[in-house]
Amino acid sequence: MSVKFAVLGHGVVGSGVVELFYKNRKSIEKRAGTEMDIKYILDLRDFPDSPYKDKFTKDFNDILNDDEVTAVAECMGGVEPAFTFVKACLEKGKSVSTSNKELVAEKGDILLAAAKANNCNFFFEASVGGAIPIIRPLHRCLAANDIDKVAGILNGTTNFILTKMYNDNMSFADALALAQKLGYAEKNPTADVEGHDACRKICIISSLVFGKHIYPSSVFTKGISEIDLADVAAADILGHAIKLVASVRRLDDGRILPAVMPMLVPHENIMAGVNDVFNAVLVYGDGIDQAMFYGRGAGKLPTASAVMGDVIEAVKHKVTVFSQTWTSSDDNSFVAPVNELCTKWYFRVPADCESVAEGAYTDENGISFITEENLSFDEAAAKAEKLNALAFLPVLD
Amino acid sequence: MSVKFAVLGHGVVGSGVVELFYKNRKSIEKRAGTEMDIKYILDLRDFPDSPYKDKFTKDFNDILNDDEVTAVAECMGGVEPAFTFVKACLEKGKSVSTSNKELVAEKGDILLAAAKANNCNFFFEASVGGAIPIIRPLHRCLAANDIDKVAGILNGTTNFILTKMYNDNMSFADALALAQKLGYAEKNPTADVEGHDACRKICIISSLVFGKHIYPSSVFTKGISEIDLADVAAADILGHAIKLVASVRRLDDGRILPAVMPMLVPHENIMAGVNDVFNAVLVYGDGIDQAMFYGRGAGKLPTASAVMGDVIEAVKHKVTVFSQTWTSSDDNSFVAPVNELCTKWYFRVPADCESVAEGAYTDENGISFITEENLSFDEAAAKAEKLNALAFLPVLD
């Protein structure tokens, strides 16, 4: 018997799913253990030149009401109408695989519950780290671990910009313009540059690891638009690369502290070498010590590859994979405020400043140094004010 | 109902499995979806002070004949008696998870067939890359990809030695002695240093990716004992790190080319930054482009973490996971000889040599350069003879 699935959306990712499926159909069917085909592609636009033009529909109900369709790949993006469509599919017992991080970060708990209630699966490997297998390894291969920290470079656009600043001495504005020219950044780059995209992804990871839904609105988020070339250069001389780090850690009292912000990553940390549009996720557990997953965090075929991998899983597992789930949370008291993050800090202060740490580096942009002691956010801000700091950034421990 | 499992061997890894299970029992049971306990630990030695001393047995038949035991963690190492024990367990329908790379590399096809025939699972995540989830991601998350190349740093001992040579200018002999002192290298370091350990691991990866059993005896294997400090330093100046690379690639005609040998890895390649005892596996696929998995490749808890993750999988999946398998191969004609590997080469030649490439670097140890053209093994050897080369090594592309 042949399994039929539908693809919602024929944009970059959705068209990639179609392309990848037909390219590798034979090996995909072998891995799924069954014949497979795409029955519908949902898009409001016309694609008269597509070789699959007879599969297109503009009416979601064609898919919803066709019992032959048992799996759906959602690649539309945005919360609505994706949420309504996905929920309806799950309620009909159709498993859904999505690349839509906004949907998972805002509505993951509801959709996971719907999947469970209807004995099907809601998978979202592609929503974090694009091609990088991270959701499933986190939940399966590392199942025996007590995970207490995850830190990642989860946005390719900002990592490309920071890499250009570091390698080619480009200003933030020039690097952003180049990213836009190359198609790595959108015309309105706010979601990437200000950290909102990375925030959604760390919310998904945090929810998965700690079992409760973490909403983007409860995560401290700061982007890279204020990063100065002088700090990129000084950080390098002090042995660090500046990266936009999305992280979550469990505090001693059990609360968790998620945050997105530019941080100094020591050169010895493998994450410092993650450049260009590549993403990486570093996971710390009591058994494994640390493990890193690295790859392309976005792009047509990389993301499609993750969606398609989930579709194969959905076809293979006809019952809900219970473990990959988390619960709703009305109360956010288990999320600690960012001020409780205690770490070393980088400061750049005016050249006439006298109160600096060992190993400070001086050039025409001022004196740069890293504190020997850990400081909270508030303490760092107070110190910055006292020293008239030109810049200050936390250091990843 | 509580699931009972047994641990074969109470050495480093086996005792780690016991320790990790009882430490994280609550979360492990949550992830497995059932209560669990260890019923037997098999070891010929006595452990009178162990808190689990009542679980020890010296008789494998206690485990084999106890129908309550449905899963087994094999952590004995070596082909025998592990092979006999594991096969007997699988034939009784008990799923087995192993950390034993020698067993999987030599007998994987037979054990996978036994698992399939008896509707249980033979899992071996821990046999490659220790704590790094690589076997399952390769087979599941990347299922939609056509994988054409895998390259890895699969041996922590040799990577530690090469890191010490690179960072601290230590000779091979001194770095090996330090590794032995720290417990990273065995008294007889041959299996690690000469590449045999990495060879077993690339055999397992190759078998999994390409679907046919690849035996260690058909893989070209060269270790790092001849690597000179002069080459480590010159390679660095030429923009590369020397690593022991275990790789497999598919040639245009469909044959595959596995090999283990020291290679120059460009600094831009994320693998060049994998240092100390850490391992990494870089996977190239048509969908993902490239993805890397990084972590501790050995050690008590990291390896135990992978074994325990497999036990959880075995408990959750009561039927054979068919896809994670490969077939026996009597005929090795699909394995291409190493001479067909065409790549750029690094040469170090005497200072009076005139025939060198652009960008050559000269010091008291000779002239070092990287060829502009790709050369086969035979062509590189002929060039080395002609130039009286002091050293020559392939470059990872």
Side-chain angles (χ1 to χ4, degrees):
Chain A
M1 208 201 73
S2 171
V3 169
K4 300 288 192 292
F5 70 104
V7 181
L8 310 187
H10 198 251
V12 173
V13 178
S15 65
V17 169
V18 176
E19 177 184 332
L20 196 66
F21 173 72
Y22 285 109
K23 181 170 184 293
N24 296 338
R25 184 175 186 174
K26 215 174 127 186
S27 63
I28 288 170
E29 289 178 331
K30 192 179 158 212
R31 286 182 175 124
T34 175
E35 287 181 17
M36 288 175 69
D37 203 0
I38 295 173
K39 188 160 181 182
Y40 300 101
I41 304 168
L42 179 74
D43 206 294
L44 294 177
R45 296 166 295 177
D46 290 306
F47 295 87
D49 301 328
S50 165
Y52 312 110
K53 60 178 182 292
D54 54 326
K55 298 183 190 294
F56 278 86
T57 175
K58 295 179 186 186
D59 184 356
F60 169 67
N61 289 311
D62 287 348
I63 296 164
L64 185 66
N65 297 323
D66 188 334
D67 290 343
E68 209 188 13
V69 174
T70 54
V72 172
E74 188 275 303
C75 312
M76 300 189 296
V79 174
E80 283 296 355
F83 175 63
T84 303
F85 289 0
V86 169
K87 191 154 170 280
C89 287
L90 295 170
E91 285 169 352
K92 282 254 189 179
K94 300 179 200 295
S95 289
V96 177
S97 309
T98 186
S99 57
N100 186 337
K101 56 217 165 225
E102 206 175 342
L103 177 68
V104 185
E106 296 289 351
K107 303 287 187 184
D109 54 341
I110 299 170
L111 296 172
L112 284 163
K116 197 172 167 178
N118 294 281
N119 206 28
C120 57
N121 283 294
F122 177 59
F123 288 145
F124 45 89
E125 183 63 71
S127 69
V128 180
I132 312 172
I134 173 67
I135 298 296
R136 196 156 290 119
L138 257 184
H139 220 76
R140 298 244 177 113
C141 312
L142 308 178
N145 277 263
D146 194 16
I147 295 172
D148 52 19
K149 192 168 90 175
V150 180
I153 294 172
L154 295 177
N155 179 270
T157 308
T158 45
N159 205 40
F160 176 84
I161 292 170
L162 290 170
T163 302
K164 284 290 157 194
M165 292 174 76
Y166 182 91
N167 282 349
D168 302 337
N169 213 29
M170 270 190 186
S171 69
F172 170 79
D174 289 347
L176 171 59
L178 179 61
Q180 286 172 318
K181 194 177 149 196
L182 293 172
Y184 295 153
E186 313 216 13
K187 207 169 163 187
N188 177 353
T190 307
D192 289 319
V193 163
E194 298 306 339
H196 305 311
D197 174 77
C199 174
R200 288 173 192 139
K201 294 167 179 168
I202 198 67
C203 284
I204 297 172
I205 288 177
S206 303
S207 303
L208 189 68
V209 169
F210 299 107
K212 283 190 187 180
H213 197 108
I214 314 292
Y215 294 95
S217 56
S218 56
V219 177
F220 176 85
T221 302
K222 190 170 160 54
I224 63 162
S225 54
E226 291 169 18
I227 299 294
D228 198 297
L229 259 184
D231 296 306
V232 172
D236 184 33
I237 286 163
L238 295 170
H240 296 71
I242 297 179
K243 297 287 183 187
L244 182 65
V245 175
S247 67
V248 61
R249 64 192 75 209
R250 195 181 50 219
L251 305 181
D252 289 339
D253 63 6
R255 288 176 307 149
I256 66 160
L257 202 166
V260 176
M261 53 199 176
M263 296 184 91
L264 270 70
V265 179
H267 286 158
E268 311 85 73
N269 187 317
I270 181 91
M271 245 179 22
V274 175
N275 286 322
D276 297 317
V277 294
F278 282 88
N279 284 198
V281 182
L282 198 48
V283 181
Y284 298 81
D286 60 350
I288 54 164
D289 181 23
Q290 53 176 275
M292 188 180 81
F293 304 86
Y294 162 95
R296 288 197 178 269
K300 180 178 180 170
L301 290 184
T303 310
S305 159
V307 173
M308 201 57 231
D310 273 353
V311 172
I312 294 171
E313 278 289 286
V315 166
K316 279 162 56 184
H317 292 279
K318 289 179 177 47
V319 295
T320 310
V321 177
F322 284 109
S323 65
Q324 192 172 308
T325 191
W326 61 75
T327 59
S328 302
S329 57
D330 295 331
D331 169 17
N332 257 354
S333 63
F334 65 96
V335 178
V338 75
N339 185 46
E340 295 191 33
L341 181 70
C342 245
T343 186
K344 294 188 194 319
W345 288 75
Y346 159 89
F347 285 87
R348 181 161 56 89
V349 296
D352 59 359
C353 180
E354 281 171 19
S355 170
V356 300
E358 292 263 322
Y361 161 71
T362 306
D363 67 8
E364 71 278 14
N365 297 308
I367 308 175
S368 307
F369 63 94
I370 289 169
T371 62
E372 281 157 45
E373 71 284 12
N374 286 340
L375 302 173
S376 73
F377 254 66
D378 288 350
E379 288 165 346
K383 188 179 175 94
E385 199 180 341
K386 191 174 142 211
L387 300 181
N388 292 314
L390 304 163
F392 65 114
L393 290 165
V395 178
L396 183 68
D397 56 0
Chain B
M1 208 204 68
S2 170
V3 168
K4 300 290 191 293
F5 70 103
V7 181
L8 311 187
H10 198 251
V12 173
V13 177
S15 65
V17 169
V18 176
E19 178 183 332
L20 197 67
F21 173 73
Y22 286 110
K23 181 170 184 292
N24 295 339
R25 184 175 182 175
K26 215 175 127 185
S27 63
I28 287 170
E29 288 178 332
K30 194 180 157 209
R31 285 181 176 125
T34 175
E35 287 182 14
M36 288 174 68
D37 203 359
I38 295 172
K39 187 159 181 184
Y40 300 101
I41 304 169
L42 179 73
D43 205 294
L44 294 177
R45 295 166 296 177
D46 290 306
F47 295 87
D49 301 328
S50 165
Y52 313 109
K53 60 176 182 293
D54 54 325
K55 298 182 189 293
F56 278 87
T57 176
K58 295 179 186 186
D59 185 356
F60 169 67
N61 289 310
D62 287 350
I63 296 164
L64 185 66
N65 297 323
D66 188 333
D67 290 343
E68 210 188 11
V69 174
T70 53
V72 172
E74 188 276 303
C75 312
M76 300 190 296
V79 173
E80 282 296 356
F83 175 62
T84 303
F85 288 1
V86 168
K87 190 154 172 277
C89 286
L90 295 170
E91 285 169 351
K92 282 253 188 180
K94 299 179 200 298
S95 288
V96 177
S97 309
T98 186
S99 59
N100 187 336
K101 57 217 165 225
E102 207 177 339
L103 177 68
V104 185
E106 295 290 350
K107 303 287 186 184
D109 53 340
I110 300 170
L111 296 171
L112 284 163
K116 196 170 169 179
N118 294 280
N119 207 29
C120 57
N121 283 295
F122 178 59
F123 287 146
F124 44 90
E125 183 63 71
S127 69
V128 180
I132 313 171
I134 173 68
I135 299 296
R136 195 156 291 118
L138 258 183
H139 220 76
R140 298 244 176 114
C141 312
L142 309 179
N145 277 264
D146 194 16
I147 295 173
D148 52 18
K149 191 166 91 175
V150 179
I153 295 173
L154 295 176
N155 179 271
T157 308
T158 44
N159 205 41
F160 176 84
I161 292 171
L162 290 170
T163 303
K164 283 289 158 193
M165 292 174 77
Y166 182 91
N167 282 350
D168 302 337
N169 213 30
M170 269 190 188
S171 69
F172 170 79
D174 289 347
L176 172 59
L178 178 62
Q180 286 172 318
K181 195 178 148 195
L182 294 173
Y184 295 153
E186 313 218 13
K187 209 170 160 186
N188 177 353
T190 308
D192 289 319
V193 164
E194 298 306 339
H196 305 310
D197 174 77
C199 173
R200 289 174 193 138
K201 294 165 179 170
I202 198 67
C203 283
I204 296 171
I205 288 177
S206 303
S207 302
L208 189 68
V209 170
F210 299 107
K212 283 190 187 179
H213 197 108
I214 313 291
Y215 293 95
S217 56
S218 55
V219 177
F220 176 84
T221 302
K222 189 169 161 54
I224 62 163
S225 55
E226 292 169 19
I227 299 294
D228 198 298
L229 259 185
D231 296 306
V232 172
D236 184 34
I237 287 165
L238 295 170
H240 295 71
I242 297 179
K243 296 289 184 187
L244 182 64
V245 176
S247 67
V248 62
R249 65 192 71 208
R250 195 182 48 219
L251 305 180
D252 289 339
D253 63 6
R255 288 175 307 148
I256 66 160
L257 201 168
V260 176
M261 54 200 175
M263 296 184 90
L264 271 70
V265 179
H267 286 156
E268 312 87 72
N269 187 316
I270 182 90
M271 248 183 13
V274 175
N275 286 321
D276 297 317
V277 294
F278 282 88
N279 286 15
V281 183
L282 198 48
V283 181
Y284 298 81
D286 58 350
I288 54 165
D289 181 21
Q290 53 176 278
M292 189 180 80
F293 304 86
Y294 162 95
R296 288 198 178 268
K300 181 177 179 171
L301 290 184
T303 310
S305 159
V307 173
M308 200 58 230
D310 273 354
V311 172
I312 294 171
E313 277 290 288
V315 166
K316 279 162 57 185
H317 291 280
K318 288 177 178 50
V319 294
T320 309
V321 176
F322 283 111
S323 65
Q324 192 171 312
T325 190
W326 61 76
T327 60
S328 302
S329 57
D330 294 332
D331 169 17
N332 257 355
S333 62
F334 64 97
V335 178
V338 76
N339 185 47
E340 296 191 32
L341 181 70
C342 245
T343 186
K344 294 190 192 322
W345 287 75
Y346 159 88
F347 284 87
R348 180 163 55 88
V349 298
D352 58 1
C353 181
E354 283 173 17
S355 169
V356 299
E358 291 262 323
Y361 162 70
T362 307
D363 68 6
E364 70 278 15
N365 296 308
I367 307 174
S368 306
F369 64 93
I370 289 169
T371 61
E372 282 157 44
E373 71 283 14
N374 286 341
L375 301 173
S376 72
F377 253 65
D378 288 349
E379 287 165 346
K383 187 179 176 94
E385 198 181 340
K386 190 176 144 211
L387 301 181
N388 292 314
L390 304 162
F392 65 113
L393 290 165
V395 178
L396 183 69
D397 56 2

